[in-house]
Amino acid sequence: MTKLTYINGLPLVLLLSGMSTPAFAGSEDVVVENAWSRASIGVNRPGAAYMTVRNTGEDTITLTGLTTPLAVMPQIHETKTNADGVSSMAPADEITIEPGQSVALEPGGLHAMLMKLQNPMIEGETFPLTLTFSDGGEVTVEVPILGIAARGPES
Amino acid sequence: MQRRHVVQYGAAGVGAVALMLGVGWWRVDGPGAPKPAGQRPLPLSAMDFRLTDHEGNKVGPETLIGRPTMVFFGFTYCPEVCPTTLSDISGWLEDLGDDAARMNVVFITVDPERDTAEAMAEYVGYFHPAIRGWTGPEDQISRAVEAFRASYERVPTEGGDYTMNHTASVFLFDAKGELVTMIDYHEPREFAVPKIRRALTEDVEGAT
């Protein structure tokens, strides 16, 4: 259960912006690490973004949704592969993160699915993605856009 | 539509026993592992479908015979599984180095409505140059999927679009077109690359 949050050479572009009010129960203790996404071909195909969401506080937190100016319909989805090797994707339920735990959004599992892109995702650029939590708090992370064939935050 | 039912029947009909056997089979892939009839892809020589590659060439299963072959299904509007599979495969091919040039690597779309030859050309251009993209009429795609004992299904999404569920495994054939093994979605590279090397080796053995 060691969802290790490896701190690598990647500059952690974590802009915990807009967090002026400390009244939230839990979400102020959320740390988002290793965010990355793949470049898109135009705007017709959906994009996907990945990251590790860590709860450094003492309250359980629940990730309830996403917003971003990049996409009209950002949602957390989960890829599942059944015993016959058939992969399917569906919106994930709310994601609860216990104190001290983290949840990895990574290829083949949970991911931020970015539907109805407003702009193409261009390699080398970044976009802001806001995670909303059940206590009303929000965390915004600046997600780097890597190449379309990227395999992880370091590639 | 009818063919899709056949595919679903094939997947559902083998039932619980095949499921249990299947799990072991996908994972273990040992020579002694029981192989449920109907679940193993046909040899390429027994397949029959007509498609077009991303450069507009007419292709079919016979195009692949003579060299070891890697085949997988997907679609270019796929945000997750397909770019991940394509980038995994690109990585495996990089590991294989010069040997990659001795293989056919084919990505067959299950979404011909959106994946024209032009769309496939643009898409595969972002990945390893050995990867070829094949598309064609729906009935031919369906025949191909059935021959591989794979499956696919169109699923409407909230935004009025649709996505495709599909078999995400990678199929490996030797130069004679016999199935060597499969690579599951997200199988670690340390397992995948030796499997590919096996397909390449069986090619050599088959020739001697």
Side-chain angles (χ1 to χ4, degrees):
Chain A
M1 198 56 208
T2 44
K3 294 264 168 100
L4 75 158
T5 48
Y6 44 91
I7 312 286
N8 55 27
L10 207 241
L12 295 176
V13 272
L14 317 171
L15 302 187
L16 301 172
S17 62
M19 295 298 299
S20 50
T21 45
F24 304 122
S27 61
E28 71 278 9
D29 294 316
V30 168
V31 177
V32 179
E33 289 165 333
N34 295 319
W36 65 285
S37 60
R38 293 189 181 108
S40 71
I41 303 173
V43 295
N44 292 330
R45 297 176 175 86
Y50 306 98
M51 67 208 71
T52 300
V53 184
R54 192 149 57 94
N55 180 2
T56 64
E58 290 171 0
D59 298 307
T60 297
I61 56 166
T62 303
L63 175 58
T64 53
L66 302 171
T67 54
T68 174
L70 178 70
V72 178
M73 277 181 50
Q75 277 183 351
I76 296 172
H77 278 215
E78 185 165 20
T79 300
K80 289 181 176 159
T81 305
N82 71 14
D84 290 327
V86 177
S87 283
S88 59
M89 214 174 54
D93 295 330
E94 289 184 343
I95 295 166
T96 299
I97 311 172
E98 301 293 328
Q101 299 294 312
S102 64
V103 164
L105 278 62
E106 57 192 4
L110 293 166
H111 55 279
M113 167 102 164
L114 309 170
M115 287 172 287
K116 299 199 184 295
L117 291 179
Q118 301 284 77
N119 302 297
M121 296 171 71
I122 296 167
E123 183 173 356
E125 297 188 352
T126 66
F127 67 93
L129 180 69
T130 300
L131 287 67
T132 52
F133 295 90
S134 54
D135 64 353
E138 293 182 348
V139 175
T140 298
V141 57
E142 199 67 28
V143 183
I145 301 171
L146 309 181
I148 194 168
R151 287 190 281 269
E154 62 288 312
S155 57
Chain B
M1 211 54 194
Q2 202 182 339
R3 291 220 169 81
R4 221 175 272 176
H5 282 154
V6 175
V7 173
Q8 283 171 348
Y9 171 75
V14 287
V17 173
L19 189 77
M20 286 162 63
L21 294 175
V23 171
W25 176 54
W26 289 74
R27 296 266 157 90
V28 177
D29 183 47
K35 292 176 181 62
Q39 229 189 12
R40 209 173 152 83
L42 297 176
L44 291 173
S45 55
M47 295 186 185
D48 182 20
F49 54 85
R50 309 284 112 212
L51 296 173
T52 304
D53 76 8
H54 68 274
E55 291 175 327
N57 303 305
K58 298 287 167 212
V59 290
E62 70 285 349
T63 313
L64 304 173
I65 296 172
R67 305 169 82 198
T69 295
M70 197 183 325
V71 177
F72 56 102
F73 294 91
F75 63 113
T76 77
Y77 280 67
C78 160
E80 228 288 292
V81 176
C82 308
T84 302
T85 301
L86 279 155
S87 44
D88 281 349
I89 288 174
S90 298
W92 303 337
L93 293 171
E94 280 162 27
D95 282 6
L96 289 170
D98 291 345
D99 284 341
R102 294 203 289 121
M103 296 195 80
N104 302 306
V105 187
V106 178
F107 164 34
I108 302 179
T109 183
V110 292
D111 182 16
E113 184 177 320
R114 292 184 294 200
D115 288 339
T116 60
E118 295 74 35
M120 293 299 275
E122 184 180 17
Y123 196 73
V124 298
Y126 288 97
F127 298 94
H128 193 282
I131 301 173
R132 315 285 301 172
W134 288 13
T135 185
E138 164 74 32
D139 66 315
Q140 296 297 314
I141 297 284
S142 174
R143 284 174 75 104
V145 170
E146 196 181 330
F148 280 89
R149 303 291 184 247
S151 71
Y152 68 112
E153 182 187 12
R154 181 172 164 150
V155 183
T157 55
E158 242 176 76
D161 281 338
Y162 64 93
T163 187
M164 307 292 299
N165 295 347
H166 62 90
T167 302
S169 309
V170 176
F171 300 89
L172 281 170
F173 295 86
D174 66 17
K176 287 177 292 183
E178 297 291 330
L179 182 79
V180 174
T181 185
M182 289 186 245
I183 304 170
D184 278 356
Y185 178 56
H186 240 66
E187 196 160 313
R189 184 182 293 204
E190 52 270 36
F191 298 141
V193 173
K195 282 185 173 180
I196 301 170
R197 287 208 183 279
R198 226 170 85 203
L200 289 161
T201 315
E202 294 200 7
D203 160 41
V204 174
E205 282 166 358
T208 50

